[in-house]
Amino acid sequence: MSIEEKQKQTTVNVQEKANLIWAIADKLVGVYKPHEYGNVILPMCVVKRFEDTLAPTKQKVLDMNKQLDADGITVKQGFLEKAAGQKFYNLSPFTFETLLSDPENIRENFESYLNHFSENVIDVIHRMKFQQEIETMAENGLLYLVIKEFCTEKAYLGADKVSSVDMGYIFEELVRKFSESYDEHAGAHFTARDIINLMTELLVGEDEERLEEEGITATIYDMAMGTSQMLGCMSDRLLEIDPDADITTYGQELNEQTFAIAKADTLIKGGNADNMRQGDTLGDDKFDGYKFDYIISNPPFGIEWKTSRAAVETEHKKGAAGRFEPGLPAIGDGQQLFLLNGVAKLKDTGRMAIIQNGSPLFKGDAGSGESNIRGYLLENDWLEAIVQLPNDLFYNTGIATYIWVITRNKSVERQGKVQLIDASQCYEKRRKPLGNKRVEITETARQLIMQAYDSFSDGVLTQTAADGTEIRVESKVRENDYFKYSKLFIMNPELDSNGNVVYDSKGRPFIDKSLNDTEIIPWLTDRKEYLLKNVVPYSPHCIVDEKKTKIGYEIPFTREFYKYTPLKPSADIFEELKALEQQEAEMMNKILH
């Protein structure tokens, strides 16, 4: 099945299942507020998915447990997992169906059912803080109704019918609906599959043939994994290249609810759930000392890192022994800290694709933390490419976003250079918006972007999309030093009435501080020539204070792709105004007569 076919299949499953589950949430009206529905529905989805996935081996597990008790065997985990055919199991005689046969005791029986799961599932349920909701539903006569709704055929969520990726997007679509009711800020958005598919292609890059020949053994990490769908999609892409690939995934997530969903997903896929860890990536790194082959992530941006400040600043002082040696960004936006975290965890041959908004391209003056972080990437020659995405691509935000591709091992052709790709006009409109998501990177659009990436040259590529519109990608390749500049501090001496410099008793010129200025000079430009051409003609006695010179780094993405649109000639504007006046006169005549 192609990526495009998978994407369509996911859309169908998301719409069908999410709409059904949202309808179940309507039964909570009156007891719960709309933004609280997720506290009930998401844990119920997780539990029902475990239930449906275990159903085929349910009796086998119960029989095995009975036999182990008869044999006096107390260490049961391995035997029970083998019987279940999963990394988890449930020893309760109850199922969702049989719970309905005893409405009077449904709360006690449901709690017993949950407590008979294996410890790893109980941890998932505990982290979702579900016990309180069970009590609330039972006290208000809702628990029976909700369980009954999850027993319908349409509510089946077993792994044999609903894929892991589908389930992840069902969760994300539900959380999107819930969060809209609560008006959560735009930074807490989800990453649609079309974006992830582009990121996975960029991570594979030029290596597909080599990976196919050599075989794949890889580790993948997501530092802000949400429900872990990026890890799943990257794993799927590598398995397409090598069906026998040995892949291990790792992820960290701050939010307990989404972490629990990610852990549940990993258990159902048979992965190592211990590699999914909960906590603050910036302030409490759960993977200290780890190195990964691939990193794929969409960390929050526009979010302050005040709560992590003490730990981050302490690690910054460690220098090269920590993750944040190059510098610290302003406290109001921690996305570049996530970038540094990823760079620190890349193997020498590792690659990272990370989503950022526009501020890491230019925010911060020369010598600032933001500028120094850009310089760190450029001076080490680790920044391979930046791809501008179309606006209105995410569910909860319409702002400009970019994929940064970082690699510690550039191909010979790419060494010393950075490729900028403007794909802001490479999309097709969705027939029906999903939140703020009004456009999509279809397979045609993705291939055009990858064609531009593979060309590694300046140029424009266009193609007619399936909907008849023209999609467009522009690529530019620049030397690393193109993004480097000097910021000079210019002083001007006092002048006497004859225009001569005034000196003190030691022969030093008096400085007129009111005339102090700065000048930014591109690194690839001859400094002396620049000053003679742009400064000296207007300030012939200027002095450069070398002690205050700073080196800065900026990636002027928008300026690079700016297209000047000439203004209309005044004569044309005058003719248009005359035509409008004539139309107005004719309308007034009709009205008056």
Side-chain angles (χ1 to χ4, degrees):
M1 185 182 292
S2 70
I3 290 175
E4 193 78 357
E5 289 170 331
K6 287 181 180 178
Q7 191 164 309
K8 288 178 182 177
Q9 180 63 37
T10 294
T11 302
V12 170
N13 283 334
V14 167
Q15 290 173 342
E16 289 179 354
K17 297 294 183 182
N19 289 343
L20 169 75
I21 295 166
W22 185 253
I24 296 174
D26 287 341
K27 298 191 177 297
L28 305 176
V29 173
V31 178
Y32 288 89
K33 296 175 182 177
H35 72 268
E36 296 172 327
Y37 293 168
N39 298 336
V40 172
I41 298 301
L42 294 177
M44 284 296 295
C45 285
V46 169
V47 173
K48 186 57 162 51
R49 183 156 170 80
F50 281 130
E51 155 98 358
D52 291 341
T53 301
L54 289 173
T57 57
K58 174 82 173 180
Q59 191 58 49
K60 188 176 180 182
V61 169
L62 295 178
D63 292 343
M64 173 59 72
N65 188 52
K66 186 176 181 181
Q67 182 63 50
L68 292 172
D69 284 340
D71 295 341
I73 297 173
T74 57
V75 181
K76 303 177 178 180
Q77 181 178 337
F79 295 102
L80 296 174
E81 287 181 354
K82 186 176 180 181
Q86 305 288 344
K87 295 288 186 180
F88 58 96
Y89 50 87
N90 188 311
L91 297 177
S92 171
F94 290 111
T95 65
F96 268 46
E97 291 284 353
T98 60
L99 284 168
L100 298 177
S101 63
D102 188 5
E104 295 298 320
N105 297 301
I106 194 162
R107 172 181 171 179
E108 292 78 7
N109 292 342
F110 187 51
E111 288 175 342
S112 173
Y113 166 82
L114 295 178
N115 289 329
H116 278 81
F117 271 109
S118 50
E119 288 186 10
N120 46 17
V121 174
I122 291 174
D123 178 63
V124 168
I125 297 169
H126 171 73
R127 287 178 181 275
M128 300 188 87
K129 298 177 173 57
F130 193 34
Q131 182 59 42
Q132 180 181 336
E133 311 310 331
I134 294 172
E135 294 173 8
T136 301
M137 284 191 289
E139 290 169 1
N140 290 276
L142 293 175
L143 184 58
Y144 180 90
L145 291 174
V146 171
I147 291 175
K148 184 179 179 181
E149 289 296 327
F150 271 97
C151 285
T152 63
E153 184 178 343
K154 289 182 179 179
Y156 182 81
L157 296 174
D160 59 327
K161 296 285 181 67
V162 182
S163 75
S164 175
V165 171
D166 288 345
M167 195 69 223
Y169 279 93
I170 290 168
F171 283 134
E172 292 188 350
E173 172 65 4
L174 288 171
V175 176
R176 183 187 69 78
K177 286 176 177 286
F178 299 142
S179 64
E180 279 180 353
S181 303
Y182 197 55
D183 193 26
E184 292 184 359
H185 50 68
H189 55 266
F190 302 114
T191 314
R193 191 182 213 193
D194 55 332
I195 306 169
I196 301 175
N197 287 336
L198 174 60
M199 295 173 76
T200 63
E201 292 304 303
L202 289 166
L203 281 173
V204 171
E206 304 153 336
D207 290 342
E208 185 163 356
E209 288 186 14
R210 179 185 64 80
L211 292 171
E212 192 172 0
E213 289 176 8
E214 297 178 3
I216 299 172
T217 300
T219 53
I220 311 170
Y221 167 65
D222 185 347
M223 66 194 87
M225 68 175 173
T227 59
S228 77
Q229 296 314 298
M230 281 191 165
L231 294 171
C233 287
M234 186 63 198
S235 298
D236 287 347
R237 182 65 183 96
L238 294 179
L239 286 168
E240 283 180 7
I241 298 171
D242 175 15
D244 298 318
D246 181 6
I247 300 168
T248 310
T249 58
Y250 301 81
Q252 183 163 345
E253 170 59 32
L254 177 60
N255 182 281
E256 274 205 309
Q257 191 175 63
T258 48
F259 163 74
I261 292 172
K263 184 174 180 179
D265 183 54
T266 304
L267 284 171
I268 288 168
K269 288 192 293 189
N272 184 354
D274 291 338
N275 291 344
M276 303 295 112
R277 300 179 186 177
Q278 194 270 328
D280 172 19
T281 298
L282 301 182
D284 183 19
D285 181 14
K286 300 296 186 182
F287 295 99
D288 184 28
Y290 282 67
K291 298 286 185 179
F292 304 102
D293 295 293
Y294 296 101
I295 297 176
I296 181 168
S297 198
N298 180 17
F301 37 75
I303 306 297
E304 64 179 24
W305 49 279
K306 192 177 293 183
T307 56
S308 312
R309 184 171 191 163
V312 168
E313 289 180 345
T314 298
E315 191 164 351
H316 173 58
K317 291 173 184 174
K318 292 180 181 178
R323 295 171 291 167
F324 309 122
E325 178 191 14
L328 302 179
I331 196 73
D333 188 357
Q335 62 183 308
Q336 282 185 295
L337 293 177
F338 284 98
L339 179 70
L340 287 178
N341 172 71
V343 172
K345 295 186 183 304
L346 278 179
K347 290 182 179 179
D348 289 341
T349 55
R351 292 175 64 79
M352 173 168 67
I354 184 170
I355 295 176
Q356 308 267 274
N357 69 10
S359 67
L361 295 168
F362 58 83
K363 187 179 179 181
D365 201 356
S368 68
E370 292 93 343
S371 176
N372 290 343
I373 291 168
R374 289 189 288 271
Y376 178 66
L377 295 175
L378 291 164
E379 296 295 351
N380 283 288
D381 199 18
W382 292 335
L383 178 57
E384 179 176 284
I386 299 176
V387 181
Q388 181 177 359
L389 298 173
N391 289 356
D392 300 325
L393 198 59
F394 291 87
Y395 296 135
N396 283 18
T397 181
I399 64 175
T401 49
Y402 303 79
I403 299 173
W404 291 49
V405 182
I406 312 293
T407 178
R408 284 181 173 268
N409 187 30
K410 284 185 182 179
S411 63
V412 175
E413 179 188 26
R414 291 181 179 268
Q415 287 174 11
K417 298 175 182 177
V418 176
Q419 184 178 15
L420 304 180
I421 299 175
D422 178 8
S424 61
Q425 303 305 310
C426 191
Y427 62 83
E428 292 183 47
K429 288 187 177 180
R430 287 184 58 87
R431 187 173 54 84
K432 196 174 182 182
L434 271 176
N436 282 348
K437 184 174 177 61
R438 297 177 178 85
V439 303
E440 220 164 27
I441 300 175
T442 58
E443 186 167 9
T444 301
R446 185 171 54 255
Q447 287 177 355
L448 195 65
I449 295 169
M450 291 308 300
Q451 188 180 339
Y453 168 83
D454 291 336
S455 73
F456 191 59
S457 60
D458 290 6
V460 177
L461 297 174
T462 60
Q463 190 166 333
T464 302
D467 62 3
T469 60
E470 183 180 85
I471 58 177
R472 182 180 187 278
V473 180
E474 185 171 1
S475 167
K476 293 189 177 184
V477 178
R478 298 289 181 260
E479 294 181 31
N480 290 348
D481 284 347
Y482 180 81
F483 306 108
K484 186 176 180 179
Y485 64 87
S486 299
K487 184 176 182 180
L488 307 186
F489 189 79
I490 308 293
M491 301 182 296
N492 285 279
E494 292 184 8
L495 304 178
D496 61 22
S497 58
N498 296 317
N500 298 316
V501 177
V502 179
Y503 296 91
D504 63 16
S505 58
K506 294 183 179 180
R508 297 173 301 192
F510 285 106
I511 301 300
D512 184 346
K513 293 184 179 180
S514 67
L515 297 177
N516 287 347
D517 200 359
T518 58
E519 196 72 29
I520 291 177
I521 304 177
W523 193 260
L524 296 176
T525 299
D526 184 280
R527 194 172 96 171
K528 186 176 180 181
E529 287 184 9
Y530 182 95
L531 290 171
L532 287 172
K533 180 180 179 181
N534 298 285
V535 178
V536 173
Y538 313 101
S539 182
H541 302 292
C542 66
I543 302 167
V544 176
D545 187 344
E546 297 291 356
K547 292 180 181 179
K548 293 184 179 180
T549 296
K550 292 181 179 179
I551 305 301
Y553 303 85
E554 180 185 6
I555 303 172
F557 202 103
T558 303
R559 190 169 72 229
E560 281 296 303
F561 293 98
Y562 173 75
K563 298 291 185 295
Y564 172 71
T565 303
L567 297 173
K568 284 186 177 181
S570 57
D572 292 351
I573 297 173
F574 180 70
E575 290 300 323
E576 289 178 5
L577 290 173
K578 282 176 62 179
L580 289 171
E581 287 179 357
Q582 180 64 30
Q583 290 175 18
E584 182 185 18
E586 290 173 358
M587 289 177 65
M588 290 302 295
N589 281 333
K590 287 181 181 179
I591 293 170
L592 293 173
H593 288 297

